[in-house]
Amino acid sequence: MHWPKSYCVFCCFPVSMGALPAHLERMRSHPDIAGEVLRLEYTAMSLNPKAKLYGKRTLLELFDPSQPRDRACLEAFERELDMPWALYHVRRLFLLSASGERRPVMRSTERVDLGRARQLGQRLISVSERHGIEVEHDPVYGRARSWVLRRRETWPMAEELFTTAPARVINKQDKNFEPAWDALTSGSTAQLPLT
């Protein structure tokens, strides 16, 4: 008797040991679940471009829209994106301990506004351009991202951005984030009039 492997979206080992082709086949067999996973990665990468699920490539890059089964997964992803979106203010601190060791990254994520993807994206693009701040825009799926402060190569450093994404991310800030932010950045913070 053959028991097909289930498709658990929460498993952290779906592509270990060269199992990516089989994993993608399971996704193609469950396009609605694949759409959720695509939205999850897209949302995570909106807030942190380094948050790819599968290493160096995004899940979106692994699907070929010219293939019917892949297209079904991408259509499910597009349905997932048809929801309220949010504009987020994201800050990260990459700090060193007193002994010079890297500490865990401190984070602050704040929802600034709620709306439709296109509306929020256009607002962020417009305000950022007026202030001379670099903007990235994904015209296919809608994300807009504006970098107020990019991370450097060496620690300690700070990173700050505004981004749009599906409204699935809650406000969260690590304990003592604000004093640490002020200490590293001398109190400077984004001055985009988005609120």
Side-chain angles (χ1 to χ4, degrees):
M1 177 174 271
H2 173 72
W3 291 91
K5 185 172 178 171
S6 66
Y7 180 48
C8 173
V9 298
F10 298 103
C11 179
C12 60
F13 304 107
V15 295
S16 62
M17 304 196 56
L20 182 59
H23 177 66
L24 290 173
E25 276 307 305
R26 282 190 297 281
M27 291 187 106
R28 291 177 183 112
S29 297
H30 303 279
D32 288 339
I33 296 173
E36 290 180 46
V37 177
L38 284 159
R39 184 210 11 98
L40 176 70
E41 181 186 57
Y42 192 79
T43 302
M45 288 184 61
S46 294
L47 277 65
N48 182 356
K50 296 182 180 288
K52 297 178 181 105
L53 288 178
Y54 303 121
K56 296 182 183 203
R57 297 182 69 193
T58 68
L59 186 53
L60 275 172
E61 293 172 321
L62 300 175
F63 286 103
D64 180 354
S66 70
Q67 299 300 312
R69 294 180 71 216
D70 286 8
R71 185 68 215 150
C73 295
L74 294 171
E75 288 169 355
F77 169 54
E78 290 169 6
R79 287 190 301 274
E80 283 285 319
L81 295 180
D82 187 23
M83 64 178 306
W85 278 47
L87 174 62
Y88 294 100
H89 182 204
V90 180
R91 295 179 291 162
R92 291 184 190 84
L93 287 169
F94 305 81
L95 302 175
L96 298 172
S97 68
S99 63
E101 299 294 317
R102 290 182 174 183
R103 292 178 34 195
V105 176
M106 295 179 74
R107 297 169 178 86
S108 172
T109 303
E110 176 188 9
R111 183 184 290 179
V112 176
D113 199 3
L114 193 62
R116 301 304 299 168
R118 186 175 190 172
Q119 164 214 4
L120 292 173
Q122 286 302 317
R123 178 175 165 210
L124 180 57
I125 291 167
S126 175
V127 171
S128 297
E129 288 176 347
R130 277 198 317 266
H131 289 272
I133 296 174
E134 177 185 350
V135 180
E136 300 167 359
H137 181 241
D138 174 4
V140 177
Y141 298 112
R143 171 184 53 229
R145 186 185 301 125
S146 178
W147 293 94
V148 177
L149 179 62
R150 285 191 179 267
R151 69 177 76 171
R152 299 183 320 231
E153 295 296 319
T154 58
W155 291 44
M157 61 185 160
E159 177 178 72
E160 182 175 19
L161 61 119
F162 286 89
T163 188
T164 62
R168 292 291 182 100
V169 180
I170 61 171
N171 288 350
K172 185 174 182 181
Q173 187 174 82
D174 289 325
K175 185 177 178 183
N176 298 320
F177 180 88
E178 291 300 338
W181 179 267
D182 288 342
L184 186 65
T185 65
S186 299
S188 67
T189 189
Q191 298 299 313
L192 290 179
L194 293 166
T195 55

